Every structure is written in C-alpha cells, then in structure tokens.
Amino acid sequence: DMKGQKGADELTREALDSGISAAQVLDALVAGMGVIGEKFSTGKAFVPNMLMAAKAMSASMAHLKPFFSSGEVKRKGTFVIGTVFGDLHDIGKNLVAMTVEGAGWEVIDLGVDVKSQKFIETIEKHPDCVIGLSALLTTTMANMESIVKDIKVKFPDKTIIVGGAPLTQEFSDKI
C-alpha cells in the first residue's frame, strides 16, 4: 500500500537534513514504538505489525547511529541480549533489541543458542551492561534458569531481564 511513498528511511533522512536533531528523531521513534507496543499488548496489533514497526525503526536507526558514535546523542548504557542455549527463535529478541537500541542503549546481540559462557565473557568485556535473555520454547526455560544461575555466581548484582512467550511473572521472579 505504500509503494511510491516515503517510508521511515526517507523520512528520517529528511528530518535530519532539515535540522531536526537526532535526539528529537529518536524521541519520536521511541514514542511510535510505544504506540505499537501498547496496541500489541491490548490485542489491537499483532506480530506482523510489530515486525513492520521494528523494520521501520531499524531503517531509521541506521541514520541515527553516526550521531550516537559522535556523542551528539548520549547512550544510556549497554544492553547484551541473546536467545538461550537450545533455542533458535529470534523474532522476539530482535524486536526487543531494536526497541532498546531505539531508546538510546548500545545493544550487543549475541544471537541464538547462546550458552552461559558467552554471556559471562561479554559481561567481562562490558561490566556495566544489563543482560537480556530470551526463550520461546518451554523446553529451553530450564536453560534460561541455569544461565541466570551461572551469571549470578560470578556477578551476583548483575541486572538480568528475561522474556519470551512461555514465561510467566512467577517463573521470572523464581529464577
């Protein structure tokens, strides 16, 4: 339906070229992701809508990255994310990574099927990072629990965020 119309890529470039600051563009992108996230949580938008929004956000972020590296837009911190060992699903992880990056964080995406050691090595390189673990399969929730335990042995105060379709608040609190 948008063939021949400007999309996020073109509109972001135009905004920056017209003198709108990268921080203002980022604020608008975050607000837009907030709208689609709210619609998704209330059942008024669905996974394809989230994927389209994330793709638009990614196109816009390509224009904003130079402003992050130049220091014009300050990073809020480092967020390390990965799908846990035994799980190859990454749609949810990718959505979270793009949203977090859009909110001003440097994102280090470790990919899928990530073991404890890879998370630990990355924490050692980025000691102030926040960790995000993703799992889609109920069978890999146990792996998520063991990865959290492994990280906490070495970094007891490390902030770890867990997510994925099968997770409940009770499970998250438990691990």
Side-chain angles (χ1 to χ4, degrees):
D1 290 345
M2 289 191 63
K3 188 173 183 173
Q5 297 179 43
K6 294 176 184 175
D9 180 61
E10 296 85 2
L11 293 170
T12 301
R13 181 77 267 145
E14 284 181 13
L16 293 169
D17 289 346
S18 73
I20 296 173
S21 74
Q24 288 174 297
V25 173
L26 179 60
D27 287 345
L29 292 169
V30 171
M33 288 302 287
V35 169
I36 193 68
E38 179 61 31
K39 286 183 177 185
F40 181 77
S41 68
T42 60
K44 295 178 182 164
F46 305 96
V47 170
N49 305 112
M50 290 291 290
L51 291 173
M52 285 180 13
K55 188 170 183 175
M57 178 82 162
S58 181
S60 294
M61 289 303 296
H63 294 290
L64 297 181
K65 284 185 184 199
F67 294 94
F68 286 117
S69 59
S70 73
E72 180 180 323
V73 176
K74 297 291 182 212
R75 289 284 191 189
K76 294 178 181 173
T78 302
F79 184 71
V80 175
I81 189 166
T83 301
V84 300
F85 174 67
D87 201 325
L88 302 177
H89 297 88
D90 67 353
I91 291 174
K93 173 191 65 68
N94 293 345
L95 285 170
V96 170
M98 282 186 259
T99 303
V100 169
E101 183 178 33
W105 291 73
E106 176 187 359
V107 173
I108 299 171
D109 187 342
L110 301 179
V112 299
D113 199 26
V114 183
K115 296 181 179 176
S116 298
Q117 189 56 36
K118 183 68 175 175
F119 282 106
I120 290 168
E121 289 169 2
T122 307
I123 294 167
E124 288 170 343
K125 292 177 187 169
H126 305 277
D128 295 331
C129 70
V130 173
I131 298 292
L133 304 178
S134 175
L136 179 67
L137 305 174
T138 55
T139 54
T140 57
M141 288 170 59
N143 297 347
M144 181 179 276
E145 184 172 9
S146 68
I147 290 171
V148 169
K149 284 180 183 173
D150 291 345
I151 292 170
K152 289 292 188 177
V153 164
K154 192 156 187 171
F155 307 98
D157 297 325
K158 181 58 55 197
T159 300
I160 303 172
I161 300 169
V162 295
L167 275 68
T168 62
Q169 187 63 53
E170 181 181 334
F171 176 78
S172 299
D173 293 343
K174 175 185 155 217
I175 68 166

